[in-house]
Amino acid sequence: MHPVSSVRTYVLVWLTLTILTFVTYYVAQIELGEWNIVVALLIAFFKMMLVILIFMNVKAESPLTKLFVGAGFFWMVLLLGQVAIDYISRTWMPEGKMW
Amino acid sequence: MADTHGAVAEHNPNLRHHFDTMEQQFDSATLGMWVFLLTEIMFFGGMFCAYMIYRSMYPGAFASTSMHMDPMFGAINTAVLIVSSLSMALAVRAARLGQQQALQILLLVTIFFGLAFLGVKAFEYHAHWVDNKVPLFAGHWDYSNTKDFPNQAQYARPAQILFCFYFFMTGFHAVHMLVGVVLMLTIFMMARRGKFGPTYFTPVEISGLYWHFVDIVWIFLFPLLYLIGRTKKLI
Amino acid sequence: MSTVLQDPQTIETPNYLNAEYGWKSWLFTTDHKRIAVLYMISITVMFVLGGIFAGLIRLELLTPQGDLVNSDTYNKFFTMHGIIMVFFFLIPSIPATLGNFLVPMMIGAKDLAFPRINLLSWYIYIAGALFALIAIVMGGVDTGWTFYTPFSSTFSNTFVITAAVGVFIAGFSSILTGLNFIVTIHKMRAPGMTWGRLPLFVWAHYATSLIQVLGTPVVAITLALVGLERAFHIGIFDPAIGGDPILFQHMFWFYSHPAVYIMILPGMGVISELVSCFSRKAVFGYSFVAASSIGIAVIGFLVWGHHMFVTGMSMYASLYFSLLSFLVAVPSAIKVFNWTATMFRGSISYDTPMLYAFGFIGLFTIGGLTGLFLATLAVDVHVTDTYFVVAHFHYVMVGGMVLAYMGGLHFWWPKITGRMYPEGWAKFSALLVFVGFNLTFFPQFIAGYLGQPRRYHAYAPEFQVYNVLSTAGATVLGVGYIIPFIYFMWSLKYGPLAGNNPWKAKGLEWQTTSPPPTYNFETPPIVTEEAYAYAAHKEEHGG
Ligand SMILES: [Cu+2]
């Protein structure tokens, strides 16, 4: 068991998340080339970490829970990364450049 | 916190026979939910994986399809889900602190915003249906050039793949939302009967974890589906 | 079952079998031991069904001409054999039966962490199996158990959706079993049962559960996408609109290669218990064997591309997957060497379970080493889609997993039922299984290496000698399976009472009565010693 966070913390997190949502929305309208998707995913990742750590209270959870959360990311990377190895190194792709 | 649980362990009617203490029962249930969420990550992970490959194969086509989605709806729905996540987090907090009244109200708020999300989603689906952007049904797919989109016909074939992704990913997400709403209704009914208090709030806690997870999936779906290449004049 | 229960000799001790009577007490039970028995009955039914298809395949292949059935029917035969054996027998075989029965007992728990979810997983399994059966009855599936696109998604005119739904559903039963084991092993261990004292059977099940939990959802969503693609005649693997069928194979094998380890790791756990008990020695290098289970589970996710060397995947990806496929042999080899070292200077006895363990070690080694041939890029191009591959994975799946299952079943049968099986018959049938198995599958290595392709109902006449040998072996193997079935049934009523610990084995499950009481232990056990604390010197044991 672990202590609960204060209402203030939750509201602050909520405020940050909402602001970031609209930041995502407006940043997408700015021409950043390849970086548009990177910025969008970074913001999404940051939002996800906020939800996991505060809303889901993982920051106060046992190391075991943290390990399982980490395992989730790790296996996701295994899936995406290893499939990508094939497609990155293929020489033929329909619309030309791969990444 | 641990000692308060140990003290009431023997008398707590919520302790199932095969556990020794309430704490062990709570820890098992939470760990079980986390392991379940691992499977959910990989379940959606399969779709994200396929999405990643096709998006890099057909960047132009994917950007073109994104133009048929209204990012404002996406953003509003994201905000709606985030509110529901806030009320969910506060509901768990209320359950832990034994605030019965607050718990019930917050659960209702969560359910309300969950349904609001589904409503907006249904509205969007309807718009795509009217717009003939549903390749899954014969007669509801049209990707020829129009006045607003004079160059899109070149993407007509791979664009179907993204629309399939759009419907499969948001569809599976919506199914998870529906399950979440039903779950919350159940929790609400239990809360009304005063099932929860500072010594027993496991169901609220673990359904909260599920709710937040579904929220996280949407946090990624929003930029990945609605915000592709919005700056480029590809269309 | 009921005959056992009325026997005055067993009715004295209250146990999980005589705790309650009637079909309701079984179908609504939450006792992990009863659920294990339910699973045991169901997977036996599926095994018989899959075995019938195997028999039909071998019958057709007796002659080079396709004279028994036409090629379409033959395609359905091997598909149904594969789907049933992989998803409805091998995947649940040891985890859902022996694992379900033993994991809580071995760690000193009263039950699994989520007994109702355990029961639910059985019902989900039954629902999945029903869909598979419906697919068979309606006319079968002909895609192969791998459901490769675009054939499965666009061209096949058989009942792909029904079968895929069956596999999809059964996947959730597997996930729930894995989830239950993970939580149970983390949270339900008896006082003193540290991670370093866990029986290797439990370690193996922990590793298996990780794969079930992390891999199965990916194949579930992949098959769901194929089903949706068939249902709507459009989807994401369709080359006609620019989809990539090879992506399906990536996602399918992301699960299905690790699934091979779902099928073999629990078997390895069983063998660790058997080798230790019948050598009267602690397993050599306990921590290495335990860690190699986890190693296999993790590295198993890094090698799937070896199924795709000839598909048009990038050759650099092939290099990567080939290299890692060699790596995964290391933890498997550690286990084989350590079992051998355990037997070294042990006082070995040759009871039936140990015979199966010997069989496992030999056959798994052959299966594993031929796997290395297949991981070698150039060799793989030569033998892909030949009987060499068929022989390889049957050496692992049947020579490995099925033998381990049989060995485990004989070993724990006295614990499960309280009765001994007839040792003479058991030894005889273990021999039949070993001989029959090798006769069936060894010729396939040769036929495959010489170029006989798999999945054809007719073949060139020069391969007939290997196929006749193979069919003859399959007959012997079949007899080898039927005899244990008969004497196990016989032993339920007439078998001599086993006593609590007929093998004088270590492990908490042997410290309680046979059959165990509903909550496993009269008094909650406290663990004070390491696993496999066998006295180093001679000790008589019965059996
Ligand atoms: Cu493999």
Side-chain angles (χ1 to χ4, degrees):
Chain A
M1 305 290 140
H2 24 68
V4 294
S5 304
S6 67
V7 176
R8 198 183 125 83
T9 314
Y10 286 133
V11 172
L12 277 178
V13 168
W14 166 74
L15 209 61
T16 319
L17 289 172
T18 312
I19 292 169
L20 283 176
T21 301
F22 289 94
V23 168
T24 317
Y25 175 80
Y26 286 109
V27 164
Q29 328 276 334
I30 305 167
E31 174 62 60
L32 296 173
E34 306 278 292
W35 290 94
N36 272 108
I37 175 75
V38 178
V39 171
L41 285 177
L42 278 180
I43 296 177
F45 189 82
F46 183 68
K47 286 163 76 180
M48 174 185 70
M49 290 313 287
L50 278 182
V51 175
I52 290 181
L53 290 176
I54 315 288
F55 279 177
M56 296 168 101
N57 210 10
V58 168
K59 69 171 188 342
E61 285 281 356
S62 63
L64 180 66
T65 311
K66 288 176 180 142
L67 182 73
F68 273 85
V69 175
F73 287 112
F74 179 69
W75 256 268
M76 185 87 166
V77 169
L78 286 187
L79 172 61
L80 300 184
Q82 293 183 105
V83 173
I85 286 176
D86 174 15
Y87 289 84
I88 291 175
S89 56
R90 280 190 201 177
T91 46
W92 47 277
M93 272 296 128
E95 279 190 25
K97 186 168 85 69
M98 183 62 193
W99 299 96
Chain B
M1 290 299 260
D3 41 349
T4 55
H5 284 267
V8 290
E10 281 130 60
H11 311 291
N12 198 312
N14 295 307
L15 181 64
R16 308 241 307 129
H17 65 78
H18 58 290
F19 290 111
D20 295 327
T21 60
M22 283 305 278
E23 193 179 6
Q24 185 191 30
Q25 176 171 309
F26 176 81
D27 285 354
S28 301
T30 351
L31 181 62
M33 183 44 98
W34 278 109
V35 175
F36 176 73
L37 292 185
L38 270 192
T39 74
E40 289 278 34
I41 291 177
M42 298 312 290
F43 189 81
F44 281 98
M47 276 186 291
F48 279 114
C49 172
Y51 171 91
M52 171 187 79
I53 297 303
Y54 286 124
R55 174 160 174 173
S56 50
M57 265 189 191
Y58 304 107
F62 270 43
S64 127
T65 55
S66 197
M67 294 302 152
H68 293 282
M69 292 156 200
D70 190 338
M72 207 28 151
F73 278 127
I76 289 172
N77 243 352
T78 314
V80 165
L81 264 195
I82 290 171
V83 178
S84 78
S85 256
L86 171 69
S87 64
M88 188 69 238
L90 291 174
V92 173
R93 184 177 183 279
R96 279 170 178 261
L97 298 176
Q99 301 162 345
Q100 301 294 343
Q101 194 77 34
L103 170 63
Q104 291 175 33
I105 293 172
L106 286 163
L107 284 173
L108 282 181
V109 172
T110 310
I111 293 169
F112 172 80
F113 280 102
L115 289 174
F117 174 90
L118 287 170
V120 174
K121 202 73 232 147
F123 182 80
E124 286 183 85
Y125 280 175
H126 178 73
H128 292 307
W129 180 265
V130 174
D131 197 24
N132 284 338
K133 292 292 174 288
V134 190
L136 302 173
F137 293 94
H140 284 276
W141 176 248
D142 176 16
Y143 218 66
S144 48
N145 292 333
T146 60
K147 196 161 70 61
D148 292 338
F149 305 99
N151 293 317
Q152 68 174 1
Q154 55 174 321
Y155 298 122
R157 286 193 316 139
Q160 298 173 63
I161 294 184
L162 181 79
F163 271 101
C164 283
F165 267 116
Y166 171 78
F167 285 109
F168 291 162
M169 291 172 106
T170 57
F172 275 114
H173 179 263
V175 169
H176 277 78
M177 286 294 297
L178 265 180
V179 171
V181 168
V182 172
L183 204 61
M184 285 311 145
L185 279 172
T186 321
I187 300 290
F188 173 71
M189 297 311 280
M190 287 165 85
R192 265 175 68 105
R193 277 183 274 121
K195 282 278 281 182
F196 306 121
T199 57
Y200 182 67
F201 49 84
T202 315
V204 192
E205 170 93 17
I206 64 174
S207 351
L209 292 178
Y210 174 86
W211 191 270
H212 294 309
F213 170 80
V214 179
D215 184 15
I216 289 174
V217 172
W218 184 261
I219 285 179
F220 279 93
L221 285 181
F222 167 55
L224 288 179
L225 294 174
Y226 289 80
L227 299 178
I228 313 172
R230 297 221 69 94
T231 58
K232 302 193 185 104
K233 295 288 165 253
L234 288 158
I235 317 302
Chain C
M1 266 314 138
S2 57
T3 42
V4 154
L5 306 176
Q6 287 150 13
D7 191 305
Q9 285 174 299
T10 42
I11 208 137
E12 290 161 21
T13 60
N15 61 56
Y16 79 103
L17 290 170
N18 65 16
E20 277 180 287
Y21 296 97
W23 60 272
K24 275 188 189 163
S25 74
W26 283 89
L27 291 185
F28 299 111
T29 181
T30 53
D31 185 340
H32 66 101
K33 298 182 287 302
R34 285 190 165 211
I35 296 169
V37 172
L38 290 177
Y39 259 119
M40 215 173 272
I41 295 166
S42 353
I43 69 164
T44 306
V45 171
M46 294 312 269
F47 181 74
V48 170
L49 200 59
I52 289 171
F53 281 112
L56 291 169
I57 292 170
R58 283 321 318 166
L59 200 58
E60 165 63 61
L61 293 177
L62 197 55
T63 57
Q65 308 81 20
D67 38 17
L68 180 67
V69 291
N70 62 24
S71 51
D72 279 342
T73 314
Y74 182 79
N75 291 348
K76 291 176 182 171
F77 282 177
F78 71 70
T79 302
M80 297 320 297
H81 169 67
I83 291 178
I84 290 174
M85 285 303 201
V86 170
F87 295 111
F88 296 98
F89 174 71
L90 285 167
I91 297 269
S93 58
I94 293 183
T97 58
L98 296 176
N100 220 335
F101 197 96
L102 293 164
V103 165
M105 296 178 70
M106 282 184 167
I107 64 173
K110 289 188 197 127
D111 204 324
L112 286 170
F114 309 113
R116 284 176 295 191
I117 288 181
N118 194 20
L119 180 65
L120 177 68
S121 93
W122 181 71
Y123 277 103
I124 294 177
Y125 169 84
I126 292 296
L130 279 179
F131 270 95
L133 293 181
I134 290 169
I136 296 176
V137 172
M138 290 200 309
V141 191
D142 65 350
T143 58
W145 75 276
T146 48
F147 294 100
Y148 274 5
T149 55
F151 182 68
S152 63
S153 54
T154 312
F155 300 110
S156 170
N157 50 10
T158 53
F159 295 87
V160 180
I161 296 184
T162 323
V165 167
V167 173
F168 181 87
I169 295 175
F172 285 92
S173 128
S174 175
I175 289 173
L176 292 179
T177 305
L179 186 154
N180 228 331
F181 283 173
I182 290 180
V183 176
T184 306
I185 295 170
H186 270 291
K187 297 292 178 194
M188 310 283 284
R189 281 170 287 128
M193 180 54 90
T194 59
W195 285 88
R197 287 174 177 170
L198 283 181
L200 291 164
F201 182 86
V202 178
W203 271 105
H205 275 77
Y206 188 80
T208 309
S209 306
L210 281 181
I211 305 176
Q212 288 176 310
V213 161
L214 291 160
T216 319
V218 178
V219 83
I221 185 66
T222 310
L223 291 178
L225 291 175
V226 168
L228 288 169
E229 183 154 345
R230 266 186 87 81
F232 293 109
H233 303 292
I234 191 159
I236 66 174
F237 299 121
D238 184 0
I241 55 170
D244 183 11
I246 295 178
L247 182 61
F248 169 85
Q249 296 191 21
H250 276 300
M251 290 164 65
F252 180 82
W253 289 112
F254 177 84
Y255 163 76
S256 295
H257 181 78
V260 172
Y261 299 118
I262 298 180
M263 300 182 233
I264 196 69
L265 272 169
M268 293 169 157
V270 169
I271 299 305
S272 297
E273 302 294 317
L274 299 187
V275 165
S276 165
C277 172
F278 293 103
S279 306
R280 320 302 311 162
K281 268 179 72 188
V283 173
F284 179 82
Y286 168 92
S287 45
F288 280 89
V289 180
S292 67
S293 289
I294 306 297
I296 287 175
V298 176
I299 304 176
F301 279 96
L302 311 178
V303 303
W304 78 74
H306 60 221
H307 296 270
M308 301 167 59
F309 288 158
V310 299
T311 56
M313 178 173 70
S314 140
M315 63 175 176
Y316 302 103
S318 297
L319 279 175
Y320 168 87
F321 285 121
S322 169
L323 179 71
L324 285 161
S325 300
F326 281 104
L327 251 183
V328 81
V330 174
S332 305
I334 288 177
K335 285 190 192 279
V336 172
F337 289 136
N338 284 19
W339 292 325
T340 319
T342 308
M343 288 187 270
F344 180 64
R345 294 206 172 147
S347 58
I348 298 176
S349 52
Y350 298 88
D351 300 284
T352 312
M354 190 58 166
L355 295 187
Y356 279 109
F358 285 138
F360 175 100
I361 295 174
L363 300 181
F364 172 75
T365 305
I366 295 177
L369 287 177
T370 49
L372 292 181
F373 300 8
L374 293 167
T376 315
L377 283 170
V379 179
D380 184 72
V381 171
H382 175 62
V383 292
T384 286
D385 281 341
T386 68
Y387 269 86
F388 191 89
V389 177
V390 176
H392 154 68
F393 68 74
H394 280 88
Y395 262 80
V396 179
M397 301 289 86
V398 183
M401 188 62 159
V402 176
L403 257 61
Y405 179 59
M406 296 290 281
L409 209 52
H410 284 84
F411 187 57
W412 284 293
W413 189 257
K415 182 53 63 181
I416 296 170
T417 65
R419 303 278 181 165
M420 289 305 292
Y421 53 83
E423 183 68 20
W425 281 104
K427 279 185 172 150
F428 173 64
S429 67
L431 197 68
L432 278 189
V433 167
F434 185 78
V435 172
F437 172 82
N438 280 296
L439 195 55
T440 312
F441 292 105
F442 200 81
Q444 295 185 4
F445 277 127
I446 304 169
Y449 188 76
L450 295 176
Q452 186 188 346
R454 65 193 281 208
R455 294 185 166 174
Y456 284 89
H457 75 317
Y459 54 87
E462 68 257 35
F463 297 124
Q464 187 171 15
V465 57
Y466 307 111
N467 282 282
V468 170
L469 285 174
S470 198
T471 303
T475 318
V476 178
L477 188 58
V479 176
Y481 289 143
I482 290 170
I483 295 176
F485 183 79
I486 294 171
Y487 65 67
F488 275 142
M489 289 304 112
W490 173 88
S491 76
L492 288 179
K493 187 165 183 184
Y494 302 104
L497 288 183
N500 293 347
N501 190 357
W503 313 114
K504 305 261 184 306
K506 300 290 173 178
L508 291 180
E509 79 271 27
W510 298 107
Q511 292 177 16
T512 184
T513 48
S514 303
T518 300
Y519 292 135
N520 296 342
F521 301 96
E522 293 304 331
T523 47
I526 294 170
V527 184
T528 53
E529 57 178 17
E530 307 302 307
Y532 314 113
Y534 290 102
H537 35 265
K538 280 144 209 64
E539 201 183 341
E540 283 307 308
H541 65 92

